[in-house]
Amino acid sequence: MTIFSIGEILLGVLIFIVIYYWRINRSTPMTKWPVLGMLPGLMHNMSNNYEYINLILKQNNGTFIFEGPWLTNLKIVYTSDPMNVQHITSTKFENYGKGDKFREIFEFLGEGIFRSDFHKWKYNRTLLHSIFKQENFKVFIYKTVAKKVDSSLLVFLDHACKQGLQVDLQDVFHRLTFDNICSIVLGFDPNCLSIELPEVEYERAFSQYEEAIFYRIFKPKFLWKLQKWLKIGVEKNIIKNEKILDQMLYASIKSKRKIQYQQQFNLLSALMKETGDGKNSIDDMFLRDTAINLLGAGRDTISSCLTWFFWLVATHPFIEAKILEEIKENLPSRDGNWKDLGMEGLTKLIYLHGALCEALRLYPPVPYELQSSWKSDVLPSGHKIKSNTMIIYSLYSVGRVEEIWGEDCLEFKPERWISKKGGIIHVPSYKFIAFNAGPRTCLGKELSFIEMKIIAAIILLNYHIKVVECHPIIPCVSEVLHMKHGLKVMVNKRSI
């Protein structure tokens, strides 16, 4: 007579449970396990997170509820339903905000515009809008970007051409946009982009921080809080990088306080001037919080879009030719310089604008937006929402909804943005949500297009970009949609 040990019996029970749950859940995209909930499936597919969530959303008509391990109270509503997005961002805007969970995860953003709610958010937005809407601020953006492109980007790319160097274009855009946004917001250029490609502590800290912080969304709160308290694992690096960035920010604020009348315009000084020196003046912490929010928005989103844009264009030579022809047509002469375009010339680059919108649709810089409900509600999809429920709408998935974009939604087609009369087709923001929607629509949308068009037009006019053969193009699982292995290219001078 065979006698089974306790270990063998437990193993048998475990195998039975695994098979049982696999059988009852095999027709569903995400298995809900005992104790662990749906977390194992999510973690197993983390390296392919965007496509995995996109598949689940498609199989659930655009909305599903993720349930975490027992006792963690982790429940997330995922959606790509445009009606749900409109409901959350516009129709019932007052019932949805960043909430306590977002504020805990992204605590480093302080009371800046991306983390605040209610009157603090309104104050932030009103103050920034008063500066962003000024025509001279747009001119300042144009001149700052054009100057940096002329003095650094073209010099670097010319050097790469002459030396026959393989270039990581994503790294180049990280450096370029960080230099630009530091000049715009803080009034100093860290010179990240030069022939030597120096390692700049501030720029590196930004990259490491945003990649690490993403995992807080899916980790049980007690776990990342414990790691932070013990200063171990990913949280140890987060603390280190936060300290580096704070040192940079407060040093910049201190220098601006000392110089009362500045010759060079920058956003930090403009905020000080806007609020005055009296009872309405703003303290260093407010300036720091505003600056870190703007630095993140101005560096990461633009560099991400440009990286995906150049990969798409480089792999679609017919589209590249059409963009190049449009740029040349808008130059005063066929052998004209890129500087001859000017701000007015940029507005005439309709096909380029459409191509940038396509890149943003397919690869939105911020793949997920996180919101929280203040009170109970019912979404247009019929899903009941309790108070303090975390909701994630997938910008990545919204850009792949066939009902919005058609059966060819996975194709790169700038033409879908251009009307029969040759203008840009307006798509409601809750469908094209790269710049968010409703009252939280990005204030810097127009300024972002100015910078992206300058950089795209100058590179395409002067160089031919060829992606290195067999180079893997994989999205990096992060707060911002970067390429995991960068974008390795060869750069060749173009004869105009």
Side-chain angles (χ1 to χ4, degrees):
M1 180 177 178
T2 304
I3 300 176
F4 294 101
S5 67
I6 294 177
E8 289 172 324
I9 294 173
L10 290 175
L11 179 62
V13 172
L14 179 62
I15 292 172
F16 171 78
I17 291 173
V18 170
I19 294 173
Y20 173 76
Y21 272 88
W22 175 78
R23 289 188 66 183
I24 65 174
N25 288 282
R26 60 183 172 179
S27 61
T28 61
M30 188 177 282
T31 302
K32 183 181 177 183
W33 297 96
V35 182
L36 297 175
M38 297 177 176
L39 190 61
L42 187 68
M43 298 309 295
H44 178 69
N45 291 278
M46 186 58 76
S47 61
N48 192 35
N49 183 269
Y50 310 118
E51 283 297 333
Y52 178 61
I53 296 297
N54 186 47
L55 174 63
I56 297 171
L57 286 168
K58 282 187 176 181
Q59 293 180 350
N60 285 270
N61 297 317
T63 306
F64 81 96
I65 299 174
F66 169 85
E67 295 183 43
W70 292 355
L71 305 177
T72 63
N73 196 31
L74 180 60
K75 184 174 287 189
I76 305 173
V77 177
Y78 281 88
T79 189
S80 60
D81 185 328
M83 294 299 100
N84 284 349
V85 173
Q86 184 184 35
H87 181 86
I88 295 165
T89 60
S90 300
T91 310
K92 286 292 186 71
F93 172 75
E94 71 283 351
N95 191 48
Y96 296 91
K98 293 305 179 182
D100 294 337
K101 292 177 182 177
F102 183 95
R103 288 175 62 80
E104 283 185 324
I105 292 169
F106 297 96
E107 57 192 338
F108 187 61
L109 296 179
E111 298 301 327
I113 192 168
F114 296 129
R115 185 173 174 264
S116 56
D117 286 310
F118 305 118
H119 68 279
K120 287 183 179 179
W121 169 79
K122 289 181 180 179
Y123 177 74
N124 274 296
R125 189 172 178 88
T126 302
L127 187 59
L128 291 172
H129 184 256
S130 66
I131 298 172
F132 279 37
K133 70 180 181 181
Q134 297 172 17
E135 192 62 32
N136 63 344
F137 185 66
K138 296 177 186 177
V139 174
F140 164 67
I141 297 290
Y142 175 84
K143 289 182 177 180
T144 301
V145 175
K147 180 181 177 182
K148 186 64 186 180
V149 165
D150 198 29
S151 63
S152 296
L153 179 62
L154 293 179
V155 172
F156 175 82
L157 293 179
D158 277 343
H159 173 74
C161 285
K162 291 174 183 176
Q163 300 298 320
L165 300 177
Q166 191 179 106
V167 174
D168 181 355
L169 208 53
Q170 177 169 260
D171 181 50
V172 170
F173 290 144
H174 280 346
R175 294 168 178 272
L176 174 63
T177 54
F178 190 71
D179 284 348
N180 281 337
I181 197 61
C182 282
S183 297
I184 292 166
V185 176
L186 304 177
F188 86 95
D189 184 350
N191 289 311
C192 299
L193 181 57
S194 64
I195 291 173
E196 299 80 16
L197 293 179
E199 186 174 280
V200 179
E201 192 177 35
Y202 313 132
E203 195 273 337
R204 185 189 65 213
F206 250 99
S207 297
Q208 292 179 351
Y209 174 81
E210 69 185 19
E211 189 169 338
I213 205 73
F214 181 82
Y215 288 88
R216 281 186 179 179
I217 298 173
F218 307 105
K219 277 184 182 178
K221 186 172 87 170
F222 78 88
L223 181 58
W224 68 260
K225 285 274 190 180
L226 179 62
Q227 288 180 319
K228 181 182 178 182
W229 183 66
L230 295 173
K231 297 182 181 179
I232 59 173
V234 174
E235 292 297 322
K236 179 181 178 180
N237 290 328
I238 289 176
I239 294 169
K240 180 187 72 174
N241 291 322
E242 287 178 347
K243 185 177 180 181
I244 292 170
L245 293 171
D246 266 343
Q247 287 174 345
M248 175 192 71
L249 293 168
Y250 281 115
S252 295
I253 293 167
K254 185 177 180 180
S255 68
K256 299 299 176 293
R257 293 283 194 200
K258 287 182 178 180
I259 306 173
Q260 188 174 3
Y261 300 104
Q262 299 217 27
Q263 298 296 319
Q264 183 186 14
F265 177 87
N266 59 79
L267 198 53
L268 209 60
S269 298
L271 284 170
M272 293 178 185
K273 184 179 179 181
E274 191 78 13
T275 55
D277 299 322
K279 63 180 181 180
N280 293 322
S281 63
I282 47 183
D283 59 22
D284 287 359
M285 186 173 289
F286 179 89
L287 290 170
R288 174 255 177 228
D289 293 350
T290 302
I292 193 66
N293 280 255
L294 294 177
L295 288 180
R299 181 257 197 185
D300 297 320
T301 54
I302 293 174
S303 64
S304 171
C305 177
L306 286 171
T307 302
W308 290 104
F309 167 81
F310 273 97
W311 172 65
L312 289 165
V313 170
T315 53
H316 293 78
F318 177 71
I319 292 175
E320 178 187 25
K322 290 190 71 172
I323 296 173
L324 187 59
E325 185 60 29
E326 180 184 60
I327 295 170
K328 290 180 178 180
E329 286 176 355
N330 284 281
L331 290 171
S333 60
R334 294 293 290 188
D335 58 346
N337 190 287
W338 64 268
K339 295 178 183 178
D340 297 333
L341 277 171
M343 282 191 65
E344 185 179 350
L346 292 177
T347 63
K348 297 177 182 178
L349 303 180
I350 303 299
Y351 195 79
L352 172 59
H353 190 101
L356 287 167
C357 287
E358 271 292 86
L360 287 163
R361 176 183 71 84
L362 289 167
Y363 299 99
V366 181
Y368 297 127
E369 277 287 352
L370 183 63
Q371 295 279 64
S372 185
S373 58
W374 301 116
K375 299 177 181 179
S376 299
D377 192 18
V378 179
L379 298 178
S381 59
H383 291 79
K384 294 180 179 179
I385 304 296
K386 294 182 179 179
S387 61
N388 202 32
T389 297
M390 190 186 298
I391 302 171
I392 293 178
Y393 48 95
S394 171
L395 286 70
Y396 184 89
S397 296
V398 172
R400 288 163 167 73
V401 174
E402 290 187 8
E403 288 76 12
I404 300 174
W405 306 105
E407 294 181 358
D408 62 351
C409 62
L410 298 182
E411 296 180 27
F412 179 54
K413 290 179 63 176
E415 289 80 6
R416 76 172 82 243
W417 294 90
I418 302 171
S419 68
K420 293 180 180 179
K421 293 182 179 180
I424 292 293
I425 295 174
H426 171 72
V427 177
S429 58
Y430 62 89
K431 294 181 179 179
F432 176 54
I433 199 169
F435 294 95
N436 217 325
R440 283 190 181 264
T441 297
C442 177
L443 286 169
K445 179 179 179 179
E446 186 179 353
L447 302 176
S448 297
F449 274 112
I450 290 174
E451 182 170 356
M452 290 190 295
K453 284 182 180 180
I454 291 173
I455 297 168
I458 289 168
I459 292 179
L460 290 173
L461 190 60
N462 289 280
Y463 309 97
H464 173 67
I465 305 297
K466 183 179 180 181
V467 179
V468 171
E469 193 172 348
C470 297
H471 176 66
I473 304 297
I474 303 170
C476 177
V477 179
S478 175
E479 181 191 350
V480 178
L481 193 64
H482 297 308
M483 291 185 179
K484 185 175 183 179
H485 304 290
L487 180 58
K488 300 294 180 63
V489 302
M490 297 300 297
V491 183
N492 297 306
K493 193 74 175 178
R494 197 190 295 274
S495 56
I496 300 177

